[in-house]
Amino acid sequence: MSHTDQPSDGDREIPQHRARARGAVIEAEVERWLAAQGMIPVTRNQHAKGGEIDLIMRDGDILVFVEVRYRASNRFGSALESVTSTKQRRLIKAARFYLAQHGLSCSCRFDVVGVEGSSPRSIHWIRHAFEAF
């Protein structure tokens, strides 16, 4: 494909390093937004066996594991719809690892925050998005 035949920016995939940088910016925005809703940030991008937890926050006495999903458009489904049962299992496994690693035994929940659009972005927050069985 020649330079003039390349797809437009809207059709081209974003290079991995740019996608990670954009993800970090969006996660920081969501963390600030959740803090404005009364939640207290604990940590961000917690790597654990089998997955990564985007944000860990406190909501009173509850430790909240937050999955942040972004979609520029909903052409391939919404950001919230992208949290599949496989992704949920990975998050649960990562959360269990985090709890064990830190010697924690407390009430927990899993929230999902979907972010869509570019400017302005819309934020959709689902508390108790799924349960750990």
Side-chain angles (χ1 to χ4, degrees), residues 4-23:
T4 57
D5 294 330
Q6 290 183 359
S8 69
D9 283 344
D11 297 331
R12 185 178 16 216
E13 286 193 33
I14 296 173
Q16 189 67 26
H17 68 281
R18 285 186 50 208
R20 271 193 223 107
R22 182 191 61 213

Side-chain angles (χ1 to χ4, degrees), residues 45-125:
N45 299 114
Q46 198 61 88
H47 295 273
K49 290 182 180 178
E52 177 188 32
I53 301 166
D54 294 329
L55 300 171
I56 300 176
M57 313 275 294
R58 281 218 172 262
D59 188 5
D61 292 337
I62 301 170
L63 191 64
V64 184
F65 299 99
V66 182
E67 176 66 8
V68 178
R69 302 299 280 200
Y70 171 74
R71 292 286 181 270
S73 75
N74 60 6
R75 189 167 83 180
F76 299 109
S78 75
L80 296 174
E81 292 171 326
S82 71
V83 182
T84 64
S85 59
T86 299
K87 180 65 174 176
Q88 291 175 20
R89 284 192 300 274
R90 286 186 186 139
L91 290 167
I92 292 165
K93 184 177 180 182
R96 286 183 175 143
F97 181 80
Y98 177 85
L99 292 169
Q101 186 180 40
H102 291 85
L104 298 172
S105 177
C106 57
S107 296
C108 302
R109 75 170 194 247
F110 293 89
D111 290 5
V112 176
V113 177
V115 180
E116 295 178 345
S118 53
S119 184
R121 297 191 225 280
S122 61
I123 297 175
H124 308 277
W125 178 22

